[in-house]
Amino acid sequence: MDLRIFTEPQQGATYDTLLTVAKATEDLGFDAFFRSDHYLKMGDADGLPGPTDAWITLAGLARETRRIRLGTLMTAATFRLPGVLAIQVAQVDRMSGGRVELGLGAGWFEEEHTAYGIPFPKEKFGRLEEQLEIVTGLWGTPPGETYDFHGKHYDLTGSPALPKPAQEKVPVLIGGHGAQRTPRLAARYADEFNMPFSSVEDSERQFGRVREAAREAGRAADELVLSNALVVCVGKDDQEVARRAAAIGREVDELKANGLAGSPAEVVDKIGRYAEVGSRRFYLQVLDLADLDHLELIASQVQSQL
């Protein structure tokens, strides 16, 4: 079972804060540091000092870390042209020595597009599918050959399909709750399927759909890594759990129902229930980035028991 740290910098974080958390992630033995790809805060947070761009941040972290994997949950397809995204991710992968993973989603938060002048198309899923085809197609084109793509949303002619990533294949993550199109898309393009903020029961249903779609696509049902993303709030006792819940503006009972919250033993038990339905990796959504003691507790009392 891999544990990965997942941050939401649009809620308020500088690059230096993210660097501190990423270094703690590495020092404490976690598998990876991931971040969201958003430009506007959500809820009651002030969002100060303002957003940091996901791939610029990861480029910096690529040079400042040595072991952990680096990636996004999820890069918004609405933010970048697919050819540009392929170049960005390949370059960051080179900068990291081959430690990058690309989570790619359709994009959904209309207000952030309006706030920063980014077009928000009505038809997003088709664009996502074409982006996945193009990005993976560019990376997979042999050196010296060119890549063409003529779709409904994007048109590429005679692309040199450069640069190439350091990895032979950059892992691609797809996630979501869609019952039909999402599993089929994951079966075609993904190395990992992520179920965000969902119960054990909903995860089990969606994992079953993904496995079936993989079989229909001619892939082994267990070829895709299945993972979950959940908010985390762990304390050595009830008082510490309550303090950490209050720091992120949440209620303990709600966090226990919808996330990984409580004592280390409670969290280990809940992770076990997800593991029983096929989850092999967890993205721990850490919302208080100043609380490094929280990460240390998870590493010593949760990760050590998995």
Side-chain angles (χ1 to χ4, degrees):
M1 178 67 69
D2 295 332
L3 293 187
R4 296 180 160 189
I5 299 303
F6 170 43
T7 61
E8 301 274 6
Q10 77 279 353
Q11 299 301 93
T14 65
Y15 171 75
D16 286 339
T17 297
L18 296 175
L19 174 59
T20 298
V21 175
K23 286 186 171 181
T25 297
E26 185 160 82
D27 292 343
L28 292 169
F30 292 103
D31 181 61
F33 174 92
F34 271 59
R35 59 156 292 162
S36 60
D37 189 13
H38 286 294
Y39 292 132
L40 196 66
K41 72 177 183 70
M42 302 170 196
D44 295 331
D46 60 23
L48 296 176
T52 51
D53 181 83
W55 286 101
I56 291 176
T57 297
L58 293 174
L61 298 179
R63 307 302 292 176
E64 301 266 13
T65 58
R66 293 293 176 266
R67 178 189 58 79
I68 50 172
R69 308 289 294 176
L70 300 166
T72 50
L73 281 183
M74 300 282 187
T75 286
T78 49
F79 288 174
R80 298 166 180 85
L81 297 172
V84 174
L85 180 61
I87 291 169
Q88 290 173 318
V89 178
Q91 185 177 15
V92 178
D93 194 51
R94 288 276 174 188
M95 294 168 71
S96 72
R99 294 183 285 121
V100 158
E101 303 185 10
L102 172 62
L104 188 59
W108 61 271
F109 190 16
E110 185 172 4
E111 288 85 350
E112 67 186 338
H113 294 73
T114 302
Y116 285 95
I118 303 168
F120 189 70
K122 290 183 179 180
E123 207 293 295
K124 293 181 286 298
F125 201 91
R127 290 175 182 270
L128 170 61
E129 188 165 8
E130 289 192 12
Q131 286 218 4
L132 286 162
E133 176 69 30
I134 292 165
V135 171
T136 58
L138 288 168
W139 290 339
T141 299
E145 297 184 15
T146 58
Y147 176 80
D148 293 347
F149 178 87
H150 307 292
K152 179 180 178 181
H153 305 286
Y154 304 103
D155 197 286
L156 288 75
T157 301
S159 173
L162 297 172
K164 302 299 185 194
Q167 298 174 88
E168 184 175 345
K169 187 181 190 312
V170 172
V172 172
L173 291 73
I174 294 173
H177 300 86
Q180 296 181 350
R181 297 175 74 183
T182 298
R184 288 200 296 267
L185 202 63
R188 183 174 180 184
Y189 294 106
D191 301 282
E192 177 179 337
F193 179 81
N194 180 262
M195 193 61 172
F197 311 110
S198 301
S199 67
V200 173
E201 295 75 19
D202 287 345
S203 297
E204 183 176 21
R205 280 190 288 271
Q206 187 70 330
F207 289 164
R209 296 182 188 116
V210 171
R211 291 190 188 99
E212 181 59 31
R215 283 190 288 263
E216 291 175 356
R219 300 177 67 179
D222 60 354
E223 187 177 333
L224 277 77
V225 174
L226 301 175
S227 64
N228 286 88
L230 289 168
V231 63
V232 66
C233 180
V234 187
K236 63 181 183 293
D237 53 36
D238 290 345
Q239 183 179 7
E240 191 167 82
V241 174
R243 176 176 62 77
R244 289 198 163 113
I248 60 174
R250 304 279 285 269
E251 297 293 331
V252 172
D253 289 345
E254 178 269 324
L255 286 170
K256 288 188 176 185
N258 299 312
L260 296 173
S263 69
E266 288 178 289
V267 171
V268 169
D269 178 70
K270 192 164 186 180
I271 288 174
R273 282 183 270 150
Y274 281 93
E276 288 174 358
V277 302
S279 188
R280 292 164 52 191
R281 181 173 291 157
F282 270 88
Y283 294 82
L284 307 179
Q285 185 195 45
V286 176
L287 296 176
D288 184 355
L289 299 182
D291 187 0
L292 298 183
D293 290 341
H294 192 198
L295 299 187
E296 186 173 354
L297 177 66
I298 296 168
S300 64
Q301 299 295 319
V302 176
Q303 183 171 242
S304 63
Q305 297 188 58
L306 297 176

